[in-house]
Amino acid sequence: MARHGHLPSVFLLIFSLCLIRSVHVHSKTLKRDVKALNEIKASLGWRVVYAWVGDDPCGDGDLPPWSGVTCSTQGDYRVVTELEVYAVSIVGPFPTAVTNLLDLTRLDLHNNKLTGPLPSQIGRLKRLKILNVRWNKLQDVIPPEIGELKQLTHLYLSFNNFKGEIPKELANLPELRYLHLHENHFIGRIPPELGSLQYLRHLDVGNNRLVGTIRELIRIEGCFPVLRNLYLNNNYLTGGIPAQLANLTNLEILYLSYNKMTGVIPYSIAHIPKLTYLYLDHNQFSGRIPDAFYKHPFLKEMYIDENTFRPGVKPIGLHKVLELSDADFLV
């Protein structure tokens, strides 16, 4: 008899689970997101369309969610929170309808053939944390509205044809950790305002047409407090390495290759505690390299080729191109 007493509670539990599942299955996708994704579907071509079956991007009945689309339930509706459509040779302009997906936290369109500008409407995506459009053919200037993405942590704009100056509005992104701008056509100076980003760990502006000095870049007191990786290579930077650069005590990678920098290497740089990779090659540095660099406990590589150092100055380690995988950044 005691066992039979548990039957009503078991039936109640089963009924509750079925009810929850029923509510989840029959949650409707927000019309705004359905409309936006179908507009995107119409513009992206067959490579995406064949995998996007049905009219509801979050799935409808027996149909699964569209490939690369992640949804979540908010109240009585489902909304699109992630869109990942990469390496499928999408051709054409950036799909502006994406900017109507106001609940997006991740947008990944990298390694396609998108052209034209990044639309100013990108600033509407207030919840966006990761924006990855690298390896496309995007062009024109970066819209200042990108500074409205206050929750952004990862920004990948590298390997495109962006031009103009790096917008100082990027300094308005308080959560930014990783900023990849390399392999574009940026000109002018690197905004020193970027130094105010309290969580920025990785800054890569290599392979552009940037001018100015490191002294200008780090002129704000207490700048770049947690920066680990600084890539300034393949630009037109001049001047020397200021001793104050040693105040960036978290630096691990300092990449200055292929600029027009001059002067001697300050002793203080050898006291950056975890400095691991130091690339000075193809500049106009001179003098000696302090012995402290050769005694540094973490320094694995120091490349010095094509400078005017005194005879006898030697490199450290074997030079190799630093290539970090997505796993190093997408956390």
Side-chain angles (χ1 to χ4, degrees):
M1 292 297 293
R3 291 183 179 180
H4 292 154
H6 289 291
L7 288 178
S9 58
V10 171
F11 286 132
L12 182 61
L13 176 60
I14 293 173
F15 176 77
S16 299
L17 290 173
C18 291
L19 182 62
I20 291 171
R21 185 177 186 277
S22 174
V23 169
H24 174 74
V25 169
H26 291 97
S27 294
K28 293 183 178 180
T29 303
L30 198 65
K31 289 183 178 180
R32 175 202 69 197
D33 290 4
V34 173
K35 182 175 184 291
L37 260 299
N38 276 281
E39 288 179 11
I40 295 167
K41 178 180 177 179
S43 69
L44 293 188
W46 68 270
R47 289 178 182 271
V48 172
V49 171
Y50 85 93
W52 284 5
V53 180
D55 295 324
D56 191 334
C58 297
D60 185 10
D62 296 329
L63 293 175
W66 291 359
S67 175
V69 176
T70 301
C71 302
S72 64
T73 301
Q74 294 185 6
D76 296 331
Y77 294 93
R78 293 177 298 180
V79 296
V80 177
T81 54
E82 297 184 10
L83 179 61
E84 300 175 89
V85 186
Y86 52 84
V88 289
S89 297
I90 299 171
V91 177
F94 183 95
T96 306
V98 165
T99 63
N100 292 324
L101 299 171
L102 302 184
D103 292 289
L104 272 187
T105 60
R106 179 192 292 256
L107 176 58
D108 189 346
L109 301 176
H110 83 269
N111 199 10
N112 286 296
K113 298 178 181 179
L114 295 173
T115 56
L118 193 65
S120 59
Q121 296 96 315
I122 197 74
R124 301 180 64 205
L125 302 179
K126 308 296 185 185
R127 298 184 179 182
L128 201 62
K129 294 183 178 180
I130 298 174
L131 174 57
N132 187 355
V133 293
R134 64 180 178 176
W135 286 108
N136 277 286
K137 298 181 179 181
L138 296 168
Q139 55 207 68
D140 214 335
V141 299
I142 298 178
E145 288 81 2
I146 203 161
E148 298 173 13
L149 306 178
K150 302 299 184 183
Q151 296 188 37
L152 202 66
T153 59
H154 296 64
L155 179 57
Y156 303 91
L157 301 180
S158 49
F159 296 99
N160 279 285
N161 296 313
F162 290 117
K163 63 180 183 179
E165 297 190 350
I166 296 173
K168 64 180 182 299
E169 285 81 6
L170 291 174
N172 297 333
L173 305 177
E175 301 297 325
L176 196 62
R177 269 87 167 152
Y178 298 94
L179 178 56
H180 291 246
L181 301 176
H182 55 285
E183 293 282 353
N184 280 287
H185 304 297
F186 292 118
I187 60 172
R189 287 169 164 75
I190 308 165
E193 291 87 352
L194 296 179
S196 66
L197 294 171
Q198 296 297 301
Y199 300 110
L200 189 65
R201 301 174 187 173
H202 184 100
L203 173 60
D204 190 345
V205 296
N207 291 88
N208 281 288
R209 301 170 184 175
L210 300 167
V211 299
T213 67
I214 293 180
R215 187 176 299 278
E216 293 170 338
L217 177 60
I218 64 170
R219 71 186 186 198
I220 298 175
E221 186 175 354
C223 64
F224 298 109
V226 300
L227 191 67
R228 296 177 184 173
N229 307 326
L230 179 58
Y231 288 71
L232 303 176
N233 56 290
N234 295 79
N235 282 292
Y236 299 99
L237 301 182
T238 54
I241 300 177
Q244 295 88 335
L245 187 63
N247 293 333
L248 277 60
T249 56
N250 289 290
L251 267 188
E252 297 176 11
I253 299 173
L254 179 58
Y255 205 161
L256 304 178
S257 306
Y258 290 92
N259 278 287
K260 298 180 180 297
M261 300 184 66
T262 57
V264 299
I265 308 302
Y267 178 84
S268 62
I269 303 302
H271 293 283
I272 298 176
K274 294 185 179 179
L275 187 64
T276 309
Y277 298 99
L278 176 61
Y279 292 132
L280 306 172
D281 57 288
H282 296 85
N283 279 284
Q284 299 166 27
F285 293 120
S286 58
R288 294 179 63 254
I289 293 180
D291 292 340
F293 283 93
Y294 299 95
K295 300 175 182 177
H296 195 292
F298 287 95
L299 192 58
K300 294 180 179 179
E301 224 174 282
M302 180 175 67
Y303 198 54
I304 61 173
D305 198 23
E306 298 296 326
N307 281 286
T308 57
F309 290 118
R310 288 184 183 179
V313 171
K314 296 180 180 180
I316 297 174
L318 298 174
H319 178 57
K320 60 185 177 184
V321 176
L322 283 177
E323 293 184 354
L324 303 178
S325 68
D326 286 352
D328 294 311
F329 306 114
L330 292 177
V331 294

PDB file of all heavy atoms in Angstrom, residues 262-286:
ATOM      1  N   THR A 262      64.153  53.397 -34.505  1.00  0.00           N
ATOM      2  CA  THR A 262      65.572  53.699 -34.315  1.00  0.00           C
ATOM      3  C   THR A 262      65.926  53.683 -32.825  1.00  0.00           C
ATOM      4  O   THR A 262      65.061  53.491 -31.969  1.00  0.00           O
ATOM      5  CB  THR A 262      65.898  55.086 -34.900  1.00  0.00           C
ATOM      6  OG1 THR A 262      65.047  56.070 -34.266  1.00  0.00           O
ATOM      7  CG2 THR A 262      65.663  55.126 -36.404  1.00  0.00           C
ATOM      8  N   GLY A 263      67.211  53.923 -32.551  1.00  0.00           N
ATOM      9  CA  GLY A 263      67.659  54.060 -31.172  1.00  0.00           C
ATOM     10  C   GLY A 263      68.134  52.757 -30.570  1.00  0.00           C
ATOM     11  O   GLY A 263      68.191  51.713 -31.223  1.00  0.00           O
ATOM     12  N   VAL A 264      68.476  52.824 -29.288  1.00  0.00           N
ATOM     13  CA  VAL A 264      68.975  51.652 -28.569  1.00  0.00           C
ATOM     14  C   VAL A 264      67.823  50.966 -27.835  1.00  0.00           C
ATOM     15  O   VAL A 264      66.758  51.551 -27.643  1.00  0.00           O
ATOM     16  CB  VAL A 264      70.077  52.053 -27.568  1.00  0.00           C
ATOM     17  CG1 VAL A 264      71.260  52.668 -28.297  1.00  0.00           C
ATOM     18  CG2 VAL A 264      69.528  53.016 -26.517  1.00  0.00           C
ATOM     19  N   ILE A 265      68.050  49.736 -27.448  1.00  0.00           N
ATOM     20  CA  ILE A 265      67.020  48.959 -26.747  1.00  0.00           C
ATOM     21  C   ILE A 265      67.167  49.239 -25.255  1.00  0.00           C
ATOM     22  O   ILE A 265      68.216  48.954 -24.666  1.00  0.00           O
ATOM     23  CB  ILE A 265      67.181  47.452 -27.026  1.00  0.00           C
ATOM     24  CG1 ILE A 265      67.267  47.195 -28.529  1.00  0.00           C
ATOM     25  CG2 ILE A 265      66.019  46.678 -26.399  1.00  0.00           C
ATOM     26  CD1 ILE A 265      66.070  47.702 -29.322  1.00  0.00           C
ATOM     27  N   PRO A 266      66.140  49.790 -24.623  1.00  0.00           N
ATOM     28  CA  PRO A 266      66.260  50.150 -23.197  1.00  0.00           C
ATOM     29  C   PRO A 266      66.456  48.924 -22.306  1.00  0.00           C
ATOM     30  O   PRO A 266      65.847  47.872 -22.511  1.00  0.00           O
ATOM     31  CB  PRO A 266      64.916  50.831 -22.887  1.00  0.00           C
ATOM     32  CG  PRO A 266      64.331  51.189 -24.206  1.00  0.00           C
ATOM     33  CD  PRO A 266      64.838  50.174 -25.181  1.00  0.00           C
ATOM     34  N   TYR A 267      67.283  49.093 -21.302  1.00  0.00           N
ATOM     35  CA  TYR A 267      67.551  48.047 -20.317  1.00  0.00           C
ATOM     36  C   TYR A 267      66.265  47.616 -19.618  1.00  0.00           C
ATOM     37  O   TYR A 267      66.064  46.437 -19.297  1.00  0.00           O
ATOM     38  CB  TYR A 267      68.562  48.584 -19.299  1.00  0.00           C
ATOM     39  CG  TYR A 267      68.911  47.644 -18.182  1.00  0.00           C
ATOM     40  CD1 TYR A 267      69.893  46.668 -18.347  1.00  0.00           C
ATOM     41  CD2 TYR A 267      68.264  47.734 -16.950  1.00  0.00           C
ATOM     42  CE1 TYR A 267      70.224  45.803 -17.314  1.00  0.00           C
ATOM     43  CE2 TYR A 267      68.585  46.880 -15.907  1.00  0.00           C
ATOM     44  CZ  TYR A 267      69.572  45.914 -16.094  1.00  0.00           C
ATOM     45  OH  TYR A 267      69.892  45.058 -15.076  1.00  0.00           O
ATOM     46  N   SER A 268      65.351  48.574 -19.406  1.00  0.00           N
ATOM     47  CA  SER A 268      64.132  48.294 -18.634  1.00  0.00           C
ATOM     48  C   SER A 268      63.259  47.225 -19.282  1.00  0.00           C
ATOM     49  O   SER A 268      62.539  46.504 -18.589  1.00  0.00           O
ATOM     50  CB  SER A 268      63.317  49.575 -18.452  1.00  0.00           C
ATOM     51  OG  SER A 268      62.900  50.089 -19.712  1.00  0.00           O
ATOM     52  N   ILE A 269      63.307  47.106 -20.605  1.00  0.00           N
ATOM     53  CA  ILE A 269      62.450  46.138 -21.303  1.00  0.00           C
ATOM     54  C   ILE A 269      62.801  44.717 -20.869  1.00  0.00           C
ATOM     55  O   ILE A 269      61.946  43.831 -20.833  1.00  0.00           O
ATOM     56  CB  ILE A 269      62.590  46.299 -22.829  1.00  0.00           C
ATOM     57  CG1 ILE A 269      62.259  47.735 -23.256  1.00  0.00           C
ATOM     58  CG2 ILE A 269      61.677  45.316 -23.563  1.00  0.00           C
ATOM     59  CD1 ILE A 269      60.875  48.200 -22.863  1.00  0.00           C
ATOM     60  N   ALA A 270      64.057  44.490 -20.512  1.00  0.00           N
ATOM     61  CA  ALA A 270      64.490  43.155 -20.073  1.00  0.00           C
ATOM     62  C   ALA A 270      63.880  42.774 -18.733  1.00  0.00           C
ATOM     63  O   ALA A 270      63.991  41.619 -18.309  1.00  0.00           O
ATOM     64  CB  ALA A 270      66.009  43.103 -19.988  1.00  0.00           C
ATOM     65  N   HIS A 271      63.230  43.716 -18.076  1.00  0.00           N
ATOM     66  CA  HIS A 271      62.638  43.431 -16.772  1.00  0.00           C
ATOM     67  C   HIS A 271      61.113  43.293 -16.840  1.00  0.00           C
ATOM     68  O   HIS A 271      60.460  43.282 -15.795  1.00  0.00           O
ATOM     69  CB  HIS A 271      63.054  44.506 -15.772  1.00  0.00           C
ATOM     70  CG  HIS A 271      64.516  44.472 -15.452  1.00  0.00           C
ATOM     71  ND1 HIS A 271      65.069  43.538 -14.609  1.00  0.00           N
ATOM     72  CD2 HIS A 271      65.542  45.226 -15.915  1.00  0.00           C
ATOM     73  CE1 HIS A 271      66.378  43.728 -14.546  1.00  0.00           C
ATOM     74  NE2 HIS A 271      66.691  44.749 -15.327  1.00  0.00           N
ATOM     75  N   ILE A 272      60.581  43.204 -18.047  1.00  0.00           N
ATOM     76  CA  ILE A 272      59.166  42.821 -18.177  1.00  0.00           C
ATOM     77  C   ILE A 272      59.095  41.346 -17.785  1.00  0.00           C
ATOM     78  O   ILE A 272      59.689  40.493 -18.451  1.00  0.00           O
ATOM     79  CB  ILE A 272      58.653  43.048 -19.603  1.00  0.00           C
ATOM     80  CG1 ILE A 272      58.744  44.536 -19.971  1.00  0.00           C
ATOM     81  CG2 ILE A 272      57.210  42.549 -19.741  1.00  0.00           C
ATOM     82  CD1 ILE A 272      58.345  44.854 -21.400  1.00  0.00           C
ATOM     83  N   PRO A 273      58.402  41.000 -16.718  1.00  0.00           N
ATOM     84  CA  PRO A 273      58.585  39.687 -16.068  1.00  0.00           C
ATOM     85  C   PRO A 273      58.389  38.468 -16.956  1.00  0.00           C
ATOM     86  O   PRO A 273      59.163  37.517 -16.874  1.00  0.00           O
ATOM     87  CB  PRO A 273      57.550  39.706 -14.932  1.00  0.00           C
ATOM     88  CG  PRO A 273      57.284  41.145 -14.673  1.00  0.00           C
ATOM     89  CD  PRO A 273      57.439  41.841 -15.985  1.00  0.00           C
ATOM     90  N   LYS A 274      57.353  38.470 -17.809  1.00  0.00           N
ATOM     91  CA  LYS A 274      57.034  37.267 -18.581  1.00  0.00           C
ATOM     92  C   LYS A 274      57.245  37.455 -20.079  1.00  0.00           C
ATOM     93  O   LYS A 274      56.664  36.713 -20.891  1.00  0.00           O
ATOM     94  CB  LYS A 274      55.591  36.830 -18.292  1.00  0.00           C
ATOM     95  CG  LYS A 274      55.380  36.376 -16.859  1.00  0.00           C
ATOM     96  CD  LYS A 274      53.975  35.843 -16.642  1.00  0.00           C
ATOM     97  CE  LYS A 274      53.787  35.377 -15.203  1.00  0.00           C
ATOM     98  NZ  LYS A 274      52.403  34.866 -14.966  1.00  0.00           N
ATOM     99  N   LEU A 275      58.068  38.414 -20.455  1.00  0.00           N
ATOM    100  CA  LEU A 275      58.345  38.620 -21.874  1.00  0.00           C
ATOM    101  C   LEU A 275      58.909  37.338 -22.476  1.00  0.00           C
ATOM    102  O   LEU A 275      59.918  36.807 -22.002  1.00  0.00           O
ATOM    103  CB  LEU A 275      59.330  39.775 -22.053  1.00  0.00           C
ATOM    104  CG  LEU A 275      59.594  40.210 -23.494  1.00  0.00           C
ATOM    105  CD1 LEU A 275      58.318  40.755 -24.132  1.00  0.00           C
ATOM    106  CD2 LEU A 275      60.700  41.263 -23.542  1.00  0.00           C
ATOM    107  N   THR A 276      58.257  36.837 -23.526  1.00  0.00           N
ATOM    108  CA  THR A 276      58.604  35.538 -24.099  1.00  0.00           C
ATOM    109  C   THR A 276      59.097  35.648 -25.532  1.00  0.00           C
ATOM    110  O   THR A 276      60.013  34.933 -25.931  1.00  0.00           O
ATOM    111  CB  THR A 276      57.384  34.594 -24.037  1.00  0.00           C
ATOM    112  OG1 THR A 276      56.866  34.582 -22.698  1.00  0.00           O
ATOM    113  CG2 THR A 276      57.759  33.178 -24.438  1.00  0.00           C
ATOM    114  N   TYR A 277      58.473  36.514 -26.312  1.00  0.00           N
ATOM    115  CA  TYR A 277      58.850  36.699 -27.704  1.00  0.00           C
ATOM    116  C   TYR A 277      59.086  38.183 -27.967  1.00  0.00           C
ATOM    117  O   TYR A 277      58.195  39.005 -27.723  1.00  0.00           O
ATOM    118  CB  TYR A 277      57.760  36.184 -28.642  1.00  0.00           C
ATOM    119  CG  TYR A 277      57.495  34.701 -28.502  1.00  0.00           C
ATOM    120  CD1 TYR A 277      56.431  34.236 -27.737  1.00  0.00           C
ATOM    121  CD2 TYR A 277      58.305  33.763 -29.138  1.00  0.00           C
ATOM    122  CE1 TYR A 277      56.181  32.874 -27.592  1.00  0.00           C
ATOM    123  CE2 TYR A 277      58.071  32.396 -28.998  1.00  0.00           C
ATOM    124  CZ  TYR A 277      57.006  31.964 -28.224  1.00  0.00           C
ATOM    125  OH  TYR A 277      56.782  30.627 -28.102  1.00  0.00           O
ATOM    126  N   LEU A 278      60.268  38.506 -28.492  1.00  0.00           N
ATOM    127  CA  LEU A 278      60.628  39.894 -28.782  1.00  0.00           C
ATOM    128  C   LEU A 278      61.177  39.956 -30.196  1.00  0.00           C
ATOM    129  O   LEU A 278      62.249  39.420 -30.487  1.00  0.00           O
ATOM    130  CB  LEU A 278      61.669  40.387 -27.777  1.00  0.00           C
ATOM    131  CG  LEU A 278      62.230  41.792 -28.003  1.00  0.00           C
ATOM    132  CD1 LEU A 278      61.113  42.834 -27.944  1.00  0.00           C
ATOM    133  CD2 LEU A 278      63.311  42.104 -26.979  1.00  0.00           C
ATOM    134  N   TYR A 279      60.435  40.615 -31.075  1.00  0.00           N
ATOM    135  CA  TYR A 279      60.841  40.718 -32.477  1.00  0.00           C
ATOM    136  C   TYR A 279      61.192  42.158 -32.797  1.00  0.00           C
ATOM    137  O   TYR A 279      60.329  43.040 -32.791  1.00  0.00           O
ATOM    138  CB  TYR A 279      59.721  40.214 -33.395  1.00  0.00           C
ATOM    139  CG  TYR A 279      59.487  38.722 -33.261  1.00  0.00           C
ATOM    140  CD1 TYR A 279      58.210  38.215 -33.103  1.00  0.00           C
ATOM    141  CD2 TYR A 279      60.559  37.839 -33.298  1.00  0.00           C
ATOM    142  CE1 TYR A 279      58.009  36.845 -32.977  1.00  0.00           C
ATOM    143  CE2 TYR A 279      60.361  36.472 -33.178  1.00  0.00           C
ATOM    144  CZ  TYR A 279      59.082  35.983 -33.014  1.00  0.00           C
ATOM    145  OH  TYR A 279      58.902  34.624 -32.895  1.00  0.00           O
ATOM    146  N   LEU A 280      62.489  42.378 -33.098  1.00  0.00           N
ATOM    147  CA  LEU A 280      63.021  43.706 -33.373  1.00  0.00           C
ATOM    148  C   LEU A 280      63.532  43.831 -34.808  1.00  0.00           C
ATOM    149  O   LEU A 280      64.003  44.901 -35.208  1.00  0.00           O
ATOM    150  CB  LEU A 280      64.183  44.001 -32.420  1.00  0.00           C
ATOM    151  CG  LEU A 280      63.899  43.846 -30.927  1.00  0.00           C
ATOM    152  CD1 LEU A 280      65.198  43.977 -30.129  1.00  0.00           C
ATOM    153  CD2 LEU A 280      62.872  44.876 -30.467  1.00  0.00           C
ATOM    154  N   ASP A 281      63.442  42.764 -35.573  1.00  0.00           N
ATOM    155  CA  ASP A 281      64.109  42.699 -36.868  1.00  0.00           C
ATOM    156  C   ASP A 281      63.561  43.705 -37.880  1.00  0.00           C
ATOM    157  O   ASP A 281      62.437  44.170 -37.784  1.00  0.00           O
ATOM    158  CB  ASP A 281      63.989  41.282 -37.441  1.00  0.00           C
ATOM    159  CG  ASP A 281      62.546  40.827 -37.580  1.00  0.00           C
ATOM    160  OD1 ASP A 281      61.914  40.550 -36.526  1.00  0.00           O
ATOM    161  OD2 ASP A 281      62.027  40.769 -38.701  1.00  0.00           O
ATOM    162  N   HIS A 282      64.415  44.011 -38.857  1.00  0.00           N
ATOM    163  CA  HIS A 282      64.069  44.889 -39.975  1.00  0.00           C
ATOM    164  C   HIS A 282      63.601  46.265 -39.500  1.00  0.00           C
ATOM    165  O   HIS A 282      62.517  46.735 -39.850  1.00  0.00           O
ATOM    166  CB  HIS A 282      63.035  44.237 -40.890  1.00  0.00           C
ATOM    167  CG  HIS A 282      63.545  43.003 -41.559  1.00  0.00           C
ATOM    168  ND1 HIS A 282      63.503  41.751 -40.956  1.00  0.00           N
ATOM    169  CD2 HIS A 282      64.137  42.824 -42.766  1.00  0.00           C
ATOM    170  CE1 HIS A 282      64.029  40.852 -41.776  1.00  0.00           C
ATOM    171  NE2 HIS A 282      64.436  41.470 -42.879  1.00  0.00           N
ATOM    172  N   ASN A 283      64.435  46.864 -38.661  1.00  0.00           N
ATOM    173  CA  ASN A 283      64.267  48.252 -38.242  1.00  0.00           C
ATOM    174  C   ASN A 283      65.627  48.943 -38.377  1.00  0.00           C
ATOM    175  O   ASN A 283      66.471  48.511 -39.178  1.00  0.00           O
ATOM    176  CB  ASN A 283      63.743  48.317 -36.803  1.00  0.00           C
ATOM    177  CG  ASN A 283      62.244  48.102 -36.712  1.00  0.00           C
ATOM    178  OD1 ASN A 283      61.459  48.995 -37.021  1.00  0.00           O
ATOM    179  ND2 ASN A 283      61.832  46.907 -36.293  1.00  0.00           N
ATOM    180  N   GLN A 284      65.836  49.982 -37.610  1.00  0.00           N
ATOM    181  CA  GLN A 284      67.113  50.705 -37.646  1.00  0.00           C
ATOM    182  C   GLN A 284      67.671  50.879 -36.229  1.00  0.00           C
ATOM    183  O   GLN A 284      68.272  51.892 -35.894  1.00  0.00           O
ATOM    184  CB  GLN A 284      66.914  52.067 -38.328  1.00  0.00           C
ATOM    185  CG  GLN A 284      66.434  51.959 -39.772  1.00  0.00           C
ATOM    186  CD  GLN A 284      65.922  53.265 -40.338  1.00  0.00           C
ATOM    187  OE1 GLN A 284      66.334  54.344 -39.910  1.00  0.00           O
ATOM    188  NE2 GLN A 284      65.010  53.175 -41.293  1.00  0.00           N
ATOM    189  N   PHE A 285      67.445  49.868 -35.379  1.00  0.00           N
ATOM    190  CA  PHE A 285      67.964  49.900 -34.024  1.00  0.00           C
ATOM    191  C   PHE A 285      69.494  49.818 -34.053  1.00  0.00           C
ATOM    192  O   PHE A 285      70.083  49.246 -34.982  1.00  0.00           O
ATOM    193  CB  PHE A 285      67.402  48.754 -33.193  1.00  0.00           C
ATOM    194  CG  PHE A 285      65.918  48.855 -32.941  1.00  0.00           C
ATOM    195  CD1 PHE A 285      65.049  47.864 -33.366  1.00  0.00           C
ATOM    196  CD2 PHE A 285      65.394  49.951 -32.271  1.00  0.00           C
ATOM    197  CE1 PHE A 285      63.685  47.953 -33.128  1.00  0.00           C
ATOM    198  CE2 PHE A 285      64.023  50.052 -32.021  1.00  0.00           C
ATOM    199  CZ  PHE A 285      63.169  49.054 -32.452  1.00  0.00           C
ATOM    200  N   SER A 286      70.107  50.355 -33.005  1.00  0.00           N
ATOM    201  CA  SER A 286      71.568  50.411 -32.979  1.00  0.00           C
ATOM    202  C   SER A 286      72.078  50.122 -31.567  1.00  0.00           C
ATOM    203  O   SER A 286      71.303  49.886 -30.635  1.00  0.00           O
ATOM    204  CB  SER A 286      72.053  51.789 -33.450  1.00  0.00           C
ATOM    205  OG  SER A 286      71.500  52.816 -32.621  1.00  0.00           O
TER     206      SER A 286
END
